[in-house]
Amino acid sequence: MKNLTSLLAVCLMLCACSSVEYHNGKRGVYLGNIEAVEILPLQAEVEVENTVISGVAECERWFWFLTKKPAKQTYGVSLQIPNGNFSPNACTRGALYDALSKNNAQYIFAPRYTAVKKGNWCILGLCLHQVNQIIVTGQKANIKHVRQTQEDILELRRKSPYIKDTSAVIHIQ
């Protein structure tokens, strides 16, 4: 019995200490002197259609733990000002993915978000079961043409007080 207990404890320790981590390479870039990097911007012509598109996503919580979230989400999207959004970012990204994929759009122009909160067994605002729903609506937008920024605009940006030493500028395209 003692051997079984110690074996179970060792197995539990191994399972509890293991984890899975994914990297996409964004954090692998180290820029020691960020002032010496100049990103050459691109200009894009965006065609905004009069078509109104929308997407919906739901997230579910049991006992304050997120138990259900959308399976497909856009990457790197979060609200600039999350005030009033009581749903997790995964739910917002799922609603954006739903809107973009259903309507074959590249962007949503002027997006508007609606957050709906449904709770069961609530006491003083704390609910044991919650369903948060995010609805995003906006106009369909697609990129028509991408070109480099004009040189005179780049010269104005180079004269910015934020770039101190222009002799060591690295150009990234």
Side-chain angles (χ1 to χ4, degrees):
M1 183 70 177
K2 186 176 181 180
N3 289 338
L4 183 63
T5 306
S6 62
L7 180 65
L8 184 63
V10 169
C11 289
L12 184 62
M13 290 277 290
L14 288 175
C15 291
C17 295
S18 65
S19 66
V20 176
E21 188 171 342
Y22 296 101
H23 294 283
N24 64 0
K26 280 181 111 174
R27 294 186 184 131
V29 177
Y30 172 72
L31 299 173
N33 186 5
I34 193 69
E35 295 171 348
V37 175
E38 176 187 2
I39 298 174
L40 296 177
L42 299 174
Q43 290 181 334
E45 291 180 33
V46 178
E47 178 183 13
V48 179
E49 298 179 13
N50 286 332
T51 308
V52 175
I53 62 175
S54 66
V56 179
E58 283 189 354
C59 291
E60 186 175 11
R61 291 178 189 243
W62 279 95
F63 303 105
W64 306 282
F65 295 105
L66 188 63
T67 57
K68 178 186 164 194
K69 60 183 179 181
K72 294 186 177 181
Q73 307 169 15
T74 57
Y75 177 75
V77 176
S78 62
L79 295 177
Q80 291 178 351
I81 303 172
N83 296 345
N85 184 14
F86 39 76
S87 295
N89 277 338
C91 204
T92 305
R93 291 191 305 262
L96 286 169
Y97 179 84
D98 185 46
L100 293 172
S101 63
K102 280 192 320 190
N103 298 289
N104 197 22
Q106 293 176 339
Y107 293 101
I108 298 177
F109 182 73
R112 292 169 300 283
Y113 300 90
T114 304
V116 180
K117 183 178 186 179
K118 303 170 192 170
N120 297 325
W121 306 297
C122 299
I123 298 173
L124 299 174
L126 298 174
C127 300
L128 297 179
H129 176 251
Q130 276 184 341
V131 176
N132 296 332
Q133 184 181 49
I134 294 287
I135 305 164
V136 60
T137 58
Q139 290 179 293
K140 180 179 178 179
N142 288 311
I143 296 176
K144 281 179 56 176
H145 180 69
V146 177
R147 65 178 180 275
Q148 286 189 345
T149 306
Q150 298 170 354
E151 190 62 35
D152 55 341
I153 296 173
L154 289 175
E155 285 299 321
L156 287 173
R157 290 188 62 187
R158 288 184 185 122
K159 293 178 183 176
S160 169
Y162 299 111
I163 299 176
K164 296 173 182 68
D165 183 16
T166 58
S167 64
V169 171
I170 301 168
H171 297 283
I172 298 175
Q173 289 186 350

